[in-house]
Every structure is written in structure tokens, then in C-alpha cells.
Amino acid sequence: MTLFEKHNKTLSRALDEIKNRGFWSPYFEIPSSKVYGEGTKETANESFKAQLNNRFEIKGLESDKYIGKEISPYGFNLGITYPSIKADKLVEDSKVAMKQWKNVSLDERTGICLEMLDRINKKSFEIANAVMHTTGQPYMMAFQAGGPHAQDRGLEALTYAYKQLKDIPTEARFEKPMGSNPSIVVNKKIKVQPKGISLIITCSTFPTWNSYSGLFASLVAGNSVIYKPHRNGILPIAITVKIVREVLEENGIDANLVTMILSDDRAETQGLVKNKNVRIIDFTGSTEFGDWLEDNAPQANVYTEKAGVNCLLIDNFDDLKGMSRNMSMALSLYSSQMCTAPQNIFIPKDGIVSNGEKVSFDDVAKTICGAVEKLLSVDERAIEILGAIQNADICKRVDEAEKLGEILLPSKTIKHPIFQNATIKTPVIIKVSAKDKDLYHNEHFGPVILLIETESREDTLSVWQETIELHGAITAGVYSSDEDYLEKVEEIALDEKVNLSVNLTGHVLMNHSAAFTDFHATGDNKAANCALSNDNFVSGRYSVVTIKRDA
């Protein structure tokens, strides 16, 4: 049985689901021993501990230089070092491997990639530990977002790539009737060709979730891949690269199809970005570097997800309890270190109407603050929601929040019962005026939440739209019982190309973005120039060459 046949049931279902856009996942999201095997979690924990303060070896990527300075947000040095190989060598090795890979049939390439995902899934516990102790995500989130949910994203992109490429015939016959004269007949060979080397530059918060789409879209299209992990998020990528290379080698494919670059030399990295052989770049991270990539890699198709300013609009709404409960989780989850987390909450200064009664701005603010405080009032629960703060800049931002405005809910520090040196902070909530645009037109990444007094309900719409126009957004949310108002909000969301959540009061948050149902970002505002995943995400990763001959 070929790998394509082995995984064909999964692929067939995935092809249906990218059309349905409902709920589906072949990868179980709960860390259950019944699904992943008895003792799997314990084995993964021991493997993680054994890897600390050691070299991470990857067959075929040995080097005379090993580097790495990862620090767990839970308060200790990982001490793991990884092979550092020169960019020029990686590029040449990638070119050689790609020559072989592009001549492998689409079905075979797809089968091999599906096997990679299956093997990665079986290592979800190992990846969970790696994600937790590089990003600061709480364990359950690290397992889900770093494991099965990231795998879902990879499968989704793989499926879009397969569907597109399968629709392109490999040969065609052109026959044009010419009346009484002989027909014109031309035989055509149609060859899909990879663009070139795909460089994936990962972020520090969601290294697998944000990169598997690019990895599998590029591989299915016939490209080679060089990973450039964030300096504090190497381990999840190293595990991924090791698994992928093992599958390639087992199937007679040059394992250098997928490699990884670590370098202390900034010029070397910038040179790789500009290398003529690097034709695809996937990046998630800061606006500054994303803009630099777009400006300095003209030879490549550059797919970026950068910083945005996500906003919530509060209008006249009857279920304030449900609103505040849902919002408290959206504001607290992973300490708002998510590209989908809301930061700006717009509320009219004269308040809103709820169930026929006037509710002042201050009372709406108290309701929100009270819900956050209640959610995080039990330390054992709070640490499993908040995770740990990812870097010192975020801590500084929280500590200096009083410079932004009036503190409505101060941040407090929570001690982790196991990791005593972990940095865990609850969100700080600040009141500012809609006139203070220099404050809320910036992204304050992390648990810094702004409650913004607007002049009116209409002013809320205006300042929100202006924020998206200037800075972009991945998500937006609104609470309103007024259908006419909701229609205006929806029109702005459509005009500004931002995904919108309306009146969420249950378990689904505006932060929620799942493969096969949500298109992550729209790719059409300043926060991101691509969406995970759609046809556009795939189509720039290959070319179609036609060779014609007279019959």
C-alpha cells in the first residue's frame, strides 16, 4: 500500500471539508492516553528533560558549530544547542533535493506529506512540551495549538495545494478545425514547476500553528523548505524538521528537502532572504520586519502576518453577563499574546442601554473588570488560562501601563506552584479617551487592555474603522441588540476586510480560529497579506509550463 493510499481517506474528507467549512479535524485535540497510547505523555516528559542542556542532533544536519540560548518563560534555561549550518550550503543542498522532489508525482508527494503529518501528530506530547517551554503557553493550549490544531492548518493547506494541482492536466491535445483545410493539431505537455526554495521565518508565540500551512503548501507544490525559527522558539521546529526528514529518508527522498538555519550573523540571514533561489517567504511577527521583508525580497512571493490592532465594539446589548463572561476569557487567554486577541474596547462615554435600562460607561467597565477578576480569582485556574509572559518587553509594558491612562483593573502577579520563576501576570485594564489616538492606534502586545470612551455610538464606528484603515486587524468583535447597528458594523468589516464576531456569549471566542472552518486573516488589510488557508495562499508557490509540438 502506498502512502497516498494509506492516507487517502483523510485527504478525501479534507477535500470535502474545505468546501463545507464546518467543524472537522482528524487529529484528536485532547491529550488522552486512550488515543495517543498509554505512557506516551510520560515518555515525552522524560524525553524533554533528557534533552535539556544537551545537543539536539538531526541526522544529516551535523555541524562543527552548535548554538542556542532558549529560555523558558516558566523560568529556566533550556540549555539546548542546535546545529548551525551556513546559509550557502543549505541553499545548495536545497536545490539538489528539489530537483528530485519536483519529479515525484503529485500523489506520491501528497502521500509523503500526509505521512509527515501523521508522524508529527504522534509526537504531539513532545511538541507540547517544546511549545510550552518556548512560548509560555499553558500546557493544554500548547498541546492543542502547538499539536493537533497546527496539524489541522498544515492539512488544510496541503489539501488546497493538492486540489489546485490535481485540476491541472499533465497533457492536452489542441485541435482547431479549419474548414476545408486540415485541422491544426498540437500536442501539449503541461508541467507544474516549483517556484524555488521556501523560507519559513517563525514567530515566538505560535511556531508550529503559524508555520505548518506554509510548510505543507510549499512541499506539495514541489518546493524545498528552509526553516528559520525564532531564536527562542527553536525546539518545536527542530522536532518538526527531524520528523519530516526521517519520513523523507524512509521514502528515498533527499532529506535536505527540509532543513533549518540558525545563525548569529544578521548579515547572513538577510543575505538568505535576498538570495535569488529563495522564491517563497512565509513570515509571522513584527510589522517592522514584515515590512522589511516585503521591501527587500523582490525575487520572492512574501506571505506575511504582522501586528494588527484588534477591537471590540460595545453597543446597546441585553446580555451583559454573557458578554462579559465571554470577553473575560478572550482578554485573558495566553495573556493576550495572540494575534487574534482583542486590545481596544470601544464604549460610548454616555453608556449603553441594556434590557431597557441605561448603563453608564463606568458600570460597563466594572462589569468587564469584574468578569476578568472573577475568572482569574483562583490561582490554579488562572495559570492554566494565562500561561507565562513570553518576554521582558511585555512585562515592562504591563508595569508601565499607568502611563497610558486611568487604571481600572491593575495587573497582579501569580506564583506558579511548580515553576517558581515563571512570570505570570493578569491583564491590566486602562481607561482612555477616543481623542488619545496615539495610545490606542498602537499594538500593546500582551495583557494590556484599553477601554476607550467614544463620543457616541456613531463615533465608535468611525474610530474603529479608522483604526483598521491605519493599522489593520486580524479580528474584530461587536455586541449589539440593534440589527440596524449590526448591519453598519458588518458593512465596515466587509469594506476593511476584517473577520468579525457578533454577540458571542458562549464558548466560542473572537480569538478562535480553526482550520477547515475559519480563514485566518483575510489577507487584505495591513495586519496580513495572506489568509490561512485559501487558494491564493497556494497559487504563488508554483508555476505552470506548457511545451507544445505539432502533432
Side-chain angles (χ1 to χ4, degrees), residues 8 70 78 103 117 181 245 315 359 365 393 411 435 534:
N8 188 50
E70 292 161 296
L78 298 191
N103 290 318
L117 279 166
N181 296 318
R245 288 174 60 90
D315 184 54
V359 182
D393 288 341
S411 174
K435 297 175 183 177
N534 59 16

Side-chain angles (χ1 to χ4, degrees), residues 153-190:
R153 280 294 178 199
L155 177 60
E156 179 187 48
L158 176 155
T159 305
Y160 272 102
Y162 179 81
K163 176 179 176 292
Q164 273 190 41
L165 297 175
K166 198 67 175 177
D167 286 343
I168 300 172
T170 57
E171 57 184 38
R173 181 178 174 86
F174 175 89
E175 188 167 349
K176 181 178 180 180
M178 298 299 290
S180 58
N181 296 318
S183 298
I184 299 173
V185 182
V186 176
N187 289 331
K188 302 180 181 182
K189 288 193 295 185
I190 302 171

